[in-house]
Structures are given as C-alpha cells and as structure tokens.
Amino acid sequence: MVTVRGSFGWTTLAAVLLLVPFASAPARAASAGPEPAAREAATAAADWTGPLSTRGRWIVDANGDRFKLRSGNWHGASGTWNGSGNVDDDSAHHAGENSGRIPLGLDRAPVGDIVAGFQEIGINSIRLPFSNEMVHDSRPVTDDAVAANPALRGRTPLQVYDAVIGELTGAGLAVILNNHTNTTRWCCGVDGNERWNTSQSVQTWEDDWLFMARRYKDNKRVVGADLYNEVRRTIWDDPNWGLGDDHDWFAASQRVGDRILTEADADLLIVVEGINWTGIPVDGFAHGRPTLEPVRNLSHTLVDSGKLVYSAHFYDYTGPHHSGATGTGETTDPRYRDFSPAELIDVLNRQAFFVTAEQDQHFTAPVWISEFGVGGRAETNPKARAWFENFVDQLVRTDADFAYWPLVGWHENRTGNGWALLHWDAAGHRMGVYDGDDWRAAAWNRLVGAAGRTGQVAPVPEWSMLSPDHGDFIASRRMRGVPDFDPGARKAVCPDGQRLLGLAHTGNRGLCSDVTTGPPANAAGAPEVVKDERYVPPGGDWASGYTKLQCADGRFVSGYAVRGAAVSSVLCAAAPAGVITGTAGRTVWFDRGDNRGPAPKGGDFANGRYKGQCADDEYVGGVAYTGRIGSSRTPDALLCRKLR
C-alpha cells in the first residue's frame, strides 16, 4: 500500500533530503447485502480451473478461459504496527487496527464469514500480503488475535496464514501470495521495507520465496507470486530498472521469478510491480513515480512463457511526481485527483495501461492494478470522490484486472478508518459497502459487474526480449540444463519454442518469437554452437567481407553469446519437423540504421540502437560481423530465411 508520512517536523533542506518521506495512506471502507452485479460475479467466482497462465494481455485458466482478477487485498499478516510505541497497544497500529500479525479481522468474525463476505461483493481472488519476518516468526498468536476463531489458538502467524489460504481456496477463490514487507510492520515510508533487500539479504528473500511457493504447490488455487510491494527509495539510494547493481529491481525480479518457476512451482503467475518512487520529493530535485514506464524499454522474459503479469498501484492523493505527502515531502506536482478525466486517462495509459493496450510487443502482458482505493462514508473531498469514479471508469473501459485495498477493516458505531469494503465491530457486527449509506456502492457495483471479455482466449504469438546487459540471459529451460555453451561469454537464449528474430547492432539486445510457427515444440537433438563459417556454402557469401556465423540447413538461431560488445558465437537449434523446409534467404543489414521491415512486431527491443529483424515468416539463419579496424565486432547483418 502507498504511504507517505509528512509530519516529521523537519525544517532544514538537508533534513528533508535525508528523510525522503513517502505518504501515509488513510486506512480504507465496507459491505452487506450484495447488489445484482455483485451476486452474479460471486456466482461465477468458483467456476474456474487452476492453474492460471497468460495469453497476450489476458489471464486464462487451465481450460484457456479468461479469468479476470476481480480481487481485493486482505491485509494484516504483513503487519499493522506503525513502528513506534507498544506493539500490543492498538493505538500504535495503523488506524488503530491491530491485526495481531495475521490477516485482519480474525478477532472479530469467523474466517468463513469473512470469506463469504468477499464472495457477496463479487470478489473472485485475494491478494494476501505476508512479511519475510512472518515466515520465520515462531511465536504463537495471542488468543485475543483469534478470539472469533478459537481453533486457531496457539498457532504461529504462518500456520494461521495456511488456514486462511485453505478457507479462501476451499471457497473457490484464487490466492496471490504477496511479499509485502521485510519486517512485520505497516508499510510504506522510509521504514526498512523499501526494497526486497533493505532489511535482509537477497539470499533470504529468494529462499523465503522458494519456501512459500513450495508450501502451497499442491493447491492449484494458489495461483500467483507477487514478488514485492512498492519498491522505492531508501534514505540514500534509489531502486533502478536495469543497471545491474544490488538496487536493480528488474534483475532481482527476473532472477527470483525464474527461480520460483524452475525450483519451486512452475504453475504460478509471476507478478512484477513497477517502481513506486525514486528521487527527493522536493521541488527542484528530480523525483517521480516510474510505475511501469521502464517496461517499454526493458521487459521481463521468464523461463516459462505465459506466466508474467505486471502490476501497478494508484491512489488519488499520490501522483506521477507526487509522493502523497502533506507538509514535509509535499511538492507542487499534481496528484492524480487533480487531473481532468481526459488528463487522468493519458497519465494512466502512459504509466501502466499501455502494457495491455499495445499488442504484439515484447512487453505485452496482463496488468493487474493490485492496489487502489478511497475513503468511504467519511470521505467528503469532492476531488477524491471524483477520482474514484474516474478511475473505476478507466478499469471498466480497459477491462482491467484489479484488487481493491483493503477488503477488511474495523468499525465502532459505523465509524472508523473507512477505507475497507467490509468492516466488523468488536461484537462481530458487519458493516458493508452495500448497506445503503456508502457512496462507493454504485461505482463498486459497476466495476464488479462490468461487461468484459469472457470465454476462450486463443493462443497468441509470444514476443520476448533478450537482455544480456550485465550477465547471462538464458530463458531456455533446456539450455539451463546443459553445460555452458561459450564459457566466459555472456549468453542469451530464447525461451524454448521460440526463435531469434532480431538483434541490435550495439547493446547486445535480442528479440525472440514463436510467430507463425504454431504451438511451441522442441525438436530432438542437441543445439550446436557455431563460432566460424563452416556452414557457409561455396557461392553462398551473403555478407561479403564479413565474418558469418551461420547455422546448418534445417537449424535456426535460438541464442547467441557476446564478449563485451562483440558477438562470440551463435546457438543453432534443430527445428521441429515441418517448420523449416526452405533454405532461400536474404541479407538484412542494420549497421547504419534500423532495418526491421515496414510494420515490425515485437516493439523497440533495443531503444536508441540500430536494429535488424527478420519477417514474421522467417528465421535467423546466421549473424555477420566485421573485425576490421575500428569495429567492435558487433552484429551488422542477419541472414533471414523463409520458414517454408
């Protein structure tokens, strides 16, 4: 959840620069008798088969039917303590709501009643936050924390988390595991939870993910791994997307996502959130909320295609360059609620929704708006109310997957935090969004009942970026299981079932696809590493004066290796039967400009670099470079051959 804390009382610029506050979200609001649209959504909630995967911008179930994530966040297990004061004192917890280190509300209502409430308001999936500290916490929860669920007494927070997952999935709901924080405390300022490795080692983070993925592997309604929440600046350092250091969120999420799929559970969706904040939130200093904008130039290629989901968070009081703070850390930049409806659409499309809107790109994937929300009955700010209506319109217009923050809250005499859709008081009485006095009810009903794509989603071509910028980028399961094919070089290999279609002249990036070849298939026979011109036939010099690394007839380039900027070798894979029947080819030069055809698919896979690309019905049969003086032996030309 987005949080900016703006009341530290710092007065000097130096102090502000060191503090880097982020924004303290108010807590959230409610639910009771469902409206017709919510009832219909609830009826269909259990009508699906896990596991889930993706086809282009859509999430589908095991039968290939569209599964729209109509989700909510059930928070608490990642912590509600604000970080100061007595942890046992409710007033020291966010909005006075003490979760007891477990999903909120188990002291007030039986878990089955809470889950039934989710279904009544049209939810079919739950984002379930946890902290790394929770994974290792061996202290039993207090009896008070599970007062309405006495069967959970004496259990650890992780064991309670297990029980909650069992209740959710047993009711037909999908669960996405969300690594929300390192420590079990409220997120999200400068709090020790800014990055996946702020309060712990990368090794601990990765090991915890493998542990959690394996723990629920046999439950096919545990469908996703949401890798980390709201990656943001620490006091001193920004996260980045692709620099290759220990702050590189792109590299860290790519690595742990592949590890989860190859070492723990190949069925899980891998959910990668964009960067939440970089820079100093002071006018005159660079600062902003990159969200998913970096994905346009550098996207993930997981070892298993069809498993990547991107995510983003939006709240009215934050903005594309506004931390959300009031007071210290507040800038003059507009908040999202300050934009007109048309301006808001433009901003949202630029920051996140382009990923689903633009098809046949290397970055095309589902986008899950895994947090958004607004105050309920007590919210009187007309801008906040208008923003929520406009944002819901955007979700409906784009048929977007979403997760409201939060689902569960406390109330006393129908007052309290107000952000949740369902509230329980100390006596177990529920207050809900459909009770007749919550202004959000109509918008919520419009959202969960919105018409959207349903039924079968046909398979679509995959377009995948290779980025061996700082090390190996081997997206092939097959090649990960064999010895290093070019020791000492950085290697890039397409996912199994895809072929290389494009290369950059400099920068080492590549583009892979399975376009026109049908469902992925692996041919028998080991790939061959080619470092010379052994397969260039007499009279077949397709790049005169250049060194040509060419595959044998019937083989295609599925990967390559580089040393520095120089191409070192190509990996030639045997094609499945009937895929490659022709050997006619053409030379595509890209040493002096782009040469990707009149309407290339796949997108700009090497921003700012010259690129060459074969046509959709071709494959790369060879790569040419020159070693003449002044050249860095970078790729200059491709041999593009017809598939058939």
Side-chain angles (χ1 to χ4, degrees):
M1 149 183 180
V2 171
T3 295
V4 177
R5 311 186 189 282
S7 57
F8 292 94
W10 295 75
T11 56
T12 67
L13 178 60
V16 171
L17 296 181
L18 288 176
L19 189 58
V20 194
F22 290 93
S24 202
R28 315 173 184 257
S31 159
E35 293 291 315
R39 283 199 298 270
E40 287 183 23
T43 300
D47 188 19
W48 63 283
T49 305
L52 303 182
S53 58
T54 70
R55 292 180 176 177
R57 66 134 295 177
W58 308 104
I59 296 172
V60 298
D61 74 359
N63 297 319
D65 291 324
R66 197 268 174 103
F67 185 87
K68 181 174 182 175
L69 293 176
R70 295 191 308 273
S71 319
N73 287 267
W74 189 3
H75 75 296
S78 58
T80 51
W81 181 52
N82 282 324
S84 62
N86 186 341
V87 71
D88 297 321
D89 185 351
D90 291 351
S91 65
H93 290 254
H94 180 70
E97 297 177 340
N98 183 354
S99 71
R101 300 175 287 138
I102 56 178
L104 188 68
L106 297 179
D107 60 331
R108 300 185 168 213
V111 62
D113 289 357
I114 295 175
V115 173
F118 299 161
Q119 294 176 302
E120 286 180 20
I121 62 171
I123 294 294
N124 68 4
S125 44
I126 298 295
R127 183 177 185 244
L128 195 62
F130 70 89
S131 73
N132 297 94
E133 184 180 354
M134 185 208 80
V135 174
H136 302 279
D137 192 345
S138 61
R139 298 170 296 157
V141 300
T142 65
D143 289 353
D144 286 347
V146 291
N149 293 272
L152 300 179
R153 288 178 180 170
R155 300 195 190 187
T156 66
L158 180 57
Q159 290 168 336
V160 173
Y161 193 87
D162 292 341
V164 165
I165 286 179
E167 195 77 27
L168 290 166
T169 58
L173 299 174
V175 172
I176 297 92
L177 310 175
N178 163 233
N179 187 187
H180 209 70
T181 52
N182 297 177
T183 64
T184 306
R185 61 166 289 186
W186 186 252
C187 164
C188 295
V190 183
D191 57 2
N193 295 307
E194 299 90 339
R195 292 195 310 270
W196 62 98
N197 58 352
T198 302
S199 300
Q200 62 189 5
S201 68
V202 172
Q203 186 68 49
T204 296
W205 180 62
E206 292 187 357
D207 288 349
D208 285 352
W209 256 124
L210 296 181
F211 170 82
M212 292 294 279
R214 290 170 181 149
R215 190 174 185 87
Y216 307 109
K217 181 178 181 179
D218 294 334
N219 187 340
K220 297 310 174 189
R221 293 201 165 175
V222 176
V223 298
D226 185 350
L227 299 181
Y228 202 72
N229 182 71
E230 295 185 2
V231 172
R232 57 197 182 277
R233 183 184 173 92
T234 61
I235 290 177
W236 297 106
D237 298 302
D238 282 326
N240 67 77
W241 193 274
L243 295 184
D245 58 18
D246 63 359
H247 300 165
D248 184 347
W249 175 228
F250 169 81
S253 53
Q254 173 76 43
R255 174 180 162 83
V256 79
D258 280 340
R259 289 198 69 193
I260 289 169
L261 292 173
T262 57
E263 301 177 42
D265 187 353
D267 287 336
L268 290 177
L269 296 174
I270 302 299
V271 182
V272 181
E273 187 180 333
I275 293 178
N276 190 62
W277 187 264
T278 62
I280 311 294
V282 175
D283 286 338
F285 289 80
H287 56 267
R289 192 178 306 282
T291 319
L292 291 174
E293 291 183 64
V295 172
R296 184 176 290 281
N297 295 327
L298 180 59
S299 63
H300 294 72
T301 298
L302 295 172
V303 71
D304 292 327
S305 299
K307 287 298 178 183
L308 175 66
V309 174
Y310 283 117
S311 74
H313 296 175
F314 293 101
Y315 292 96
D316 72 285
Y317 57 88
T318 62
H321 296 282
H322 201 297
S323 69
T326 300
T328 302
E330 184 175 7
T331 65
T332 57
D333 304 289
R335 303 172 191 257
Y336 291 114
R337 67 189 180 208
D338 295 326
F339 293 111
S340 70
E343 291 170 335
L344 180 63
I345 290 171
D346 288 343
V347 169
L348 295 175
N349 288 342
R350 185 187 78 235
Q351 292 204 288
F353 288 84
F354 74 92
V355 177
T356 58
E358 298 180 30
Q359 303 303 298
D360 287 319
Q361 307 293 301
H362 63 81
F363 53 74
T364 302
V367 170
W368 184 36
I369 305 303
S370 54
E371 285 191 27
F372 76 103
V374 71
R377 293 160 176 81
E379 178 58 77
T380 58
N381 186 334
K383 282 191 172 184
R385 288 190 171 203
W387 170 85
F388 186 70
E389 297 283 356
N390 292 333
F391 191 76
V392 165
D393 287 345
Q394 172 76 352
L395 295 176
V396 171
R397 181 186 306 111
T398 58
D399 197 4
D401 299 87
F402 61 85
Y404 186 88
W405 181 286
L407 289 176
V408 176
W410 289 4
H411 83 95
E412 295 301 331
N413 298 318
R414 304 185 72 79
T415 62
N417 180 341
W419 277 62
L421 297 179
L422 300 166
H423 293 83
W424 279 266
D425 67 12
H429 300 126
R430 194 181 80 180
M431 176 179 71
V433 69
Y434 290 135
D435 281 358
D437 59 347
D438 193 322
W439 66 272
R440 299 169 300 175
W444 178 254
N445 199 54
R446 188 166 80 251
L447 177 60
V448 296
R453 180 163 186 169
T454 60
Q456 278 282 308
V457 177
V460 296
E462 299 279 351
W463 295 90
S464 304
M465 173 187 283
L466 297 180
S467 54
D469 302 12
H470 307 289
D472 286 354
F473 200 100
I474 298 175
S476 162
R477 276 183 176 265
R478 184 179 188 186
M479 293 307 299
R480 288 180 176 220
V482 301
D484 190 335
F485 72 84
D486 195 343
R490 302 194 315 281
K491 292 158 286 293
V493 185
C494 297
D496 296 330
Q498 296 187 30
R499 66 191 187 278
L500 190 71
L501 268 185
L503 272 180
H505 176 55
T506 58
N508 306 130
R509 298 274 178 87
L511 180 69
C512 305
S513 185
D514 61 356
V515 63
T516 74
T517 60
N522 293 320
E528 181 180 15
V529 182
V530 174
K531 299 183 178 181
D532 54 36
E533 295 189 342
R534 71 186 69 182
Y535 293 118
V536 180
D541 189 349
W542 50 273
S544 179
Y546 285 70
T547 300
K548 292 162 285 291
L549 306 181
Q550 182 173 331
C551 296
D553 290 351
R555 289 177 175 262
F556 62 94
V557 178
S558 63
Y560 54 94
V562 294
R563 297 174 187 270
V567 62
S568 172
S569 62
V570 296
L571 186 68
C572 299
V579 171
I580 293 178
T581 58
T583 58
R586 65 188 178 99
T587 303
V588 172
W589 293 96
F590 54 99
D591 55 334
R592 299 179 183 178
D594 270 8
N595 191 356
R596 297 189 291 148
K601 297 175 184 174
D604 189 346
F605 60 91
N607 184 51
R609 314 279 184 164
Y610 296 154
K611 295 165 286 291
Q613 185 170 328
C614 297
D616 291 357
D617 61 350
E618 295 178 327
Y619 65 95
V620 175
V623 178
Y625 67 87
T626 180
R628 69 169 64 101
I629 295 174
S631 170
S632 299
R633 296 178 57 215
T634 58
D636 294 308
L638 298 176
L639 174 61
C640 294
R641 289 179 145 180
K642 288 285 187 181
L643 288 168
R644 298 179 178 84

